[in-house]
Amino acid sequence: MIRHILGGTLALAAAATFGIAPAAAQPQDVVVGFVLPLSGGSATIGNQTKLGAQVAAEQINAAGGISALGGAKLKLIFADSQSKPDIGASETERLIQRENVSLLVGAYNSAVTFPASEVAERYKTPWIVTGAVKDEITERGFKYVFRPNNKATYDAREQLDAMDLLKKETGKGPVNIGLFYEGTDWGRSHAANIKKIAAERGYKITLDESFPPNQVDFTAQLLKIRSSRPEALIVVAYTPDHLLFTRQFFENKINIPYGLHSVGGGSEDPSFYKAVPQKAVDYLFVQEDWQIDRLKTDKNPLVLDANTRFKAQAGYDLNSYGAQGVSNVYIIKDVLERAASADREKIRDALAATDISAGMPLIIGYQRIKFDDQGQNTFAHGVISENLGGERRTVWPAANRADDTKPVWPVPDWSAR
């Protein structure tokens, strides 16, 4: 040990004598924690978000890292929530206490994000919400929780805005709506918002049916749907339940004149479309968290590179969850450049001051990211697609609709398909 110290001292002395500058210390990595469902029912979505985040970190690190921190690289650490609130909360505490993360991202499932972000708030660690839409996540007066994406109110409003637009364009539309939703925080929050906005716009709710996660049979619920005869049906389901429901709905050939309207979840998951017959999802309306058909026209080289990297590992193009992972990490880069620090308090202050109107953080399709005093990006929005000819094509807003996209409204009866 003495020899090592003396050797180091002599080396420094020699460097000073001969005018040789000592090598600069390498900047420390900035450690970012992710809490995502990497196993269990939401695993495909959690892993898509993870891959998108990894792609963005690769791009940023290859381009020189965080310049305000001397080229520090991003180091991402992933924890598996298993879609379970208690595990999500305990993993959050582990990342903060043991891994000493500078900030956190998570957790897709609203039922996990709600308690896990509470842990982050208690430890004064910034938390960027990804995917989770439960309104109350950003309605608790927290100072360390920030959500770039939609909250449930926005999702519900967009679904009804799309119906209103198609009704205005064609002179035809539903009078009554059915609600079929998974019974955890996400589903209940969305249903409550639909009921509130529907009442304001003169729609009647003829079916209000929740179901527990991981159903093994929807026969009884399908009988209720058939007997209540909704003219449009709003569906809220994660991938496994959406798969089973769609298969059984297709087998029963229930006619819904103005179609099924899914609020993302399973219907944004590529594995969903691989597992069901194409005819089962024809004319399906989906509230998308990013513009699913944008890659056809996007010329941004970083977006195209991100898609190439993502597709090389996933086997399919970027989807909303992969794109959210990309966006989350580029938001973090923007925040770290402005904070010029890995200190949690300085990161929190930089997040609160965020106002992004250009660049990769907006890959989702937002025009701006700016948080209100509750941490919600009030400029967040999605689009509504319709599955036409095997492709999800944006139909709402009208400004986002391609010239060759013609919505089908009302949708054909099963006998005419």
Side-chain angles (χ1 to χ4, degrees):
M1 177 64 75
I2 293 172
R3 184 179 301 163
H4 175 75
I5 294 170
L6 287 173
T9 304
L10 289 171
L12 289 171
T17 301
F18 294 104
I20 303 170
Q26 285 293 107
Q28 287 190 332
D29 293 340
V30 180
V31 184
V32 180
F34 279 73
V35 181
L36 295 169
L38 303 178
S39 64
S42 300
T44 55
I45 289 170
N47 281 287
Q48 289 157 12
T49 307
K50 176 184 178 181
L51 179 54
Q54 290 172 320
V55 163
E58 288 172 4
Q59 288 183 321
I60 291 166
N61 289 342
I66 309 300
S67 59
L69 295 174
K73 301 297 191 285
L74 296 177
K75 179 182 178 182
L76 311 186
I77 298 179
F78 296 92
D80 183 7
S81 72
Q82 302 174 39
S83 296
K84 298 176 181 177
D86 56 338
I87 292 177
S90 64
E91 285 295 274
T92 298
E93 188 165 18
R94 179 181 67 81
L95 289 172
I96 294 170
Q97 293 285 75
R98 296 186 187 177
E99 302 292 349
N100 196 32
V101 298
S102 291
L103 70 163
L104 290 151
V105 181
Y108 176 64
N109 303 98
S110 288
V112 177
T113 304
F114 194 72
S117 57
E118 188 173 300
V119 174
E121 181 76 12
R122 188 164 67 247
Y123 282 104
K124 297 184 177 180
T125 303
W127 177 288
I128 296 176
V129 175
T130 188
V133 299
K134 181 179 179 179
D135 287 318
E136 291 82 0
I137 289 169
T138 50
E139 294 178 356
R140 294 175 287 179
F142 284 3
K143 293 184 176 181
Y144 294 82
V145 178
F146 300 87
R147 177 163 49 192
N149 58 272
N150 271 10
K151 62 179 182 177
T153 300
Y154 298 178
D155 285 349
R157 186 176 64 216
E158 288 174 10
Q159 286 192 300
L160 293 177
D161 282 349
M163 291 186 197
D164 288 345
L165 173 65
L166 294 170
K167 188 174 184 177
K168 180 179 179 181
E169 290 178 340
T170 64
K172 302 175 182 178
V175 173
N176 65 72
I177 296 171
L179 290 172
F180 189 61
Y181 53 97
E182 61 90 34
T184 69
D185 286 357
W186 174 40
R188 290 195 301 268
S189 183
H190 189 74
N193 283 307
I194 287 287
K195 285 183 276 190
K196 179 177 181 295
I197 299 170
E200 294 169 353
R201 300 190 185 187
Y203 291 101
K204 296 179 180 178
I205 303 298
T206 56
L207 174 74
D208 183 359
E209 182 78 9
S210 67
F211 61 88
N214 302 310
Q215 284 272 97
V216 294
D217 183 29
F218 283 107
T219 300
Q221 289 98 331
L222 286 166
L223 287 171
K224 287 185 180 180
I225 292 170
R226 191 188 292 277
S227 64
S228 65
R229 303 179 66 182
E231 294 175 303
L233 181 66
I234 290 175
V235 179
V236 188
Y238 291 117
T239 304
D241 290 319
H242 219 314
L243 278 171
L244 179 61
F245 171 77
T246 301
R247 289 191 188 114
Q248 291 189 303
F249 184 88
F250 176 58
E251 290 166 0
N252 283 269
K253 301 292 194 296
I254 300 172
N255 284 312
I256 309 288
Y258 294 97
L260 297 184
H261 297 254
S262 176
V263 58
S267 60
E268 288 183 292
D269 185 347
S271 67
F272 167 76
Y273 293 95
K274 289 182 177 181
V276 296
Q278 176 57 48
K279 288 185 178 181
V281 293
D282 281 343
Y283 312 108
L284 173 67
F285 293 92
V286 178
Q287 192 279 329
E288 306 272 6
D289 291 304
W290 86 309
Q291 187 159 343
I292 189 65
D293 45 7
R294 71 169 290 183
L295 289 172
K296 292 182 177 180
T297 57
D298 202 309
K299 304 300 183 186
N300 184 330
L302 272 177
V303 172
L304 298 178
D305 177 67
N307 185 58
T308 298
R309 291 170 185 256
F310 185 90
K311 190 173 184 177
Q313 296 186 60
Y316 44 78
D317 287 327
L318 265 172
N319 67 336
S320 64
Y321 304 115
Q324 284 182 60
V326 172
S327 175
N328 296 148
V329 174
Y330 272 98
I331 291 169
I332 290 168
K333 172 176 164 52
D334 177 87
V335 168
L336 291 172
E337 295 287 9
R338 289 183 289 108
S341 173
D343 176 76
R344 292 171 181 170
E345 285 299 325
K346 291 181 179 177
I347 290 171
R348 190 225 78 87
D349 292 345
L351 269 165
T354 294
D355 192 352
I356 300 170
S357 57
M360 286 295 281
L362 304 179
I363 188 174
I364 298 294
Y366 315 141
Q367 284 67 49
R368 191 177 182 187
I369 298 174
K370 182 177 173 63
F371 301 109
D372 64 15
D373 59 2
Q374 293 272 24
Q376 174 64 45
N377 175 25
T378 57
F379 295 90
H381 68 82
V383 301
I384 305 295
S385 70
E386 185 178 11
N387 200 310
L388 301 169
E391 293 184 352
R392 282 141 69 196
R393 307 294 298 271
T394 300
V395 297
W396 178 93
N400 292 56
R401 187 191 298 170
D403 292 340
D404 63 346
T405 297
K406 306 298 180 187
V408 176
W409 181 265
V411 304
D413 286 354
W414 287 105
S415 59
R417 297 189 190 185

